[in-house]
Amino acid sequence: MPLYFTAMNRRSEPKHVARIERLRHLMRCISFGAPDDACLSTTQLSERVADVYNAASERALKRAVQRDLEALVQQQRIAVVNTGRKPLRYRRLASDAEDDDPVIWEWTLNQIRMLACEAVPQRQLDRLWRTLLTNTQAPRLDESRLRVVPDTFRLLPAALYPGVLSAVIQALILRCALRVGYVKADGARSDAVLQPQAAVQRGPIAYLLALKNDEETPVRFYALHRMVKAEVLTATPARQVEGFDLDRAIAEGRIDFGQGALIDLELRVRGYLAELLRACPMAPDQRLEDEPEGADFELRLWVRVPSTGQLLRWLLGAGDNLEVVSPPDLRRIVAAQVRKASALYGAR
């Protein structure tokens, strides 16, 4: 259902339908668990929902919004966070309708933006993003004229227990501790108080990076789909790890569960991979040279990259279009993996 209506459409539809749409839109604008000073006031909410109210004036709009806010307070869906002070501000009381929670939408939008970065030049993406967020009636390309096709097989995202994602996001926003029930891969269950540092969406799985209980180190990875419950401890500030930097952790390959030491990679490539790496470098300092005429490969490549599981999977996925020349340790690992895979098929 669209989030905006023309005045003519609003006049013609039943009043109860219009009211449901207004309340739904209001709820989408009101955050769950935000700090008091970050909660929106009546005036701010009126500005955000003006397009779904058929109000004759700004004053009439504000009165209508105030009536709907009072109704939501009576339904115990929202609460006034600064009773007795002005301006009144409002916060959601329940996160059971996670799909409508603004913080969930923000998480989703960030995921979309990061995925789009893989396919769209940054300058074009910035302009497109501003248009999407400010002009919902802009001309659009439908799926019959535009598709973004991944060049790798993508798994479906892991399903999360109700309330987990919202609680994790709120704990990160408020910088407070999080009590979770966690089930490990072997089925063992434990309860812990986590000290959130950051969150990462790695492929189809989202992870929380956090300290556990009273530990000072290390920062551990907790898969959100293994959290069977999560409770934000708003009265307990999360301990922050001194010097923790998410960008540096990603650059060092720690997010891929490896040490991520930088290596000088030398490859020989051919086929589709040669053309691909000419157009899409592995890193800004990549260097290419043509192989001698008559050689088994077309290009030789040198580049400095983190040694991670992600890199190993990419190298193995290239099949016989790629040969790892150096470093020697990585060449031996790739060779061993190829022999193991070959043995699976050679026995039948």
Side-chain angles (χ1 to χ4, degrees), residues 105-271:
W105 279 110
E106 185 174 356
W107 171 282
T108 304
L109 283 172
N110 280 330
Q111 288 181 309
I112 294 171
R113 183 185 177 93
M114 292 171 189
L115 285 172
C117 283
E118 300 177 7
V120 181
Q122 185 63 45
R123 183 176 297 177
Q124 294 180 21
L125 178 61
D126 288 342
R127 294 178 61 187
L128 172 64
W129 206 250
R130 286 195 297 271
T131 301
L132 288 175
L133 296 182
T134 59
N135 187 0
T136 57
Q137 302 185 52
R140 295 178 181 141
L141 288 174
D142 61 27
E143 63 182 15
S144 69
R145 292 174 291 169
L146 174 66
R147 294 289 182 94
V148 176
V149 181
D151 63 351
T152 58
F153 183 81
R154 295 190 186 278
L155 302 176
L156 295 176
L160 305 183
Y161 284 86
V164 166
L165 180 57
S166 181
V168 168
I169 294 174
Q170 294 299 337
L172 286 166
I173 291 173
L174 300 176
R175 296 181 179 272
C176 57
L178 184 72
R179 180 181 288 116
V180 302
Y182 196 83
V183 178
K184 297 181 180 179
D186 61 4
R189 174 169 175 164
S190 62
D191 294 318
V193 174
L194 304 182
Q195 314 291 328
Q197 308 297 311
V200 171
Q201 179 81 32
R202 179 177 173 270
I205 298 179
Y207 293 91
L208 177 66
L209 282 63
L211 296 173
K212 181 179 179 182
N213 296 329
D214 296 327
E215 294 177 350
E216 297 295 334
T217 189
V219 175
R220 303 178 187 271
F221 293 77
Y222 296 91
L224 266 61
H225 69 279
R226 296 198 177 281
M227 296 180 186
V228 295
K229 63 178 181 179
E231 176 190 357
V232 183
L233 304 179
T234 55
T236 307
R239 300 194 316 279
Q240 300 300 302
V241 177
E242 185 176 354
F244 176 79
D245 185 293
L246 182 58
D247 288 333
R248 186 169 66 246
I250 293 172
E252 292 173 351
R254 291 171 55 194
I255 305 306
D256 205 47
F257 311 128
Q259 294 302 310
L262 289 173
I263 59 171
D264 292 313
L265 182 64
E266 182 179 348
L267 305 175
R268 299 172 73 205
V269 298
R270 62 187 174 194

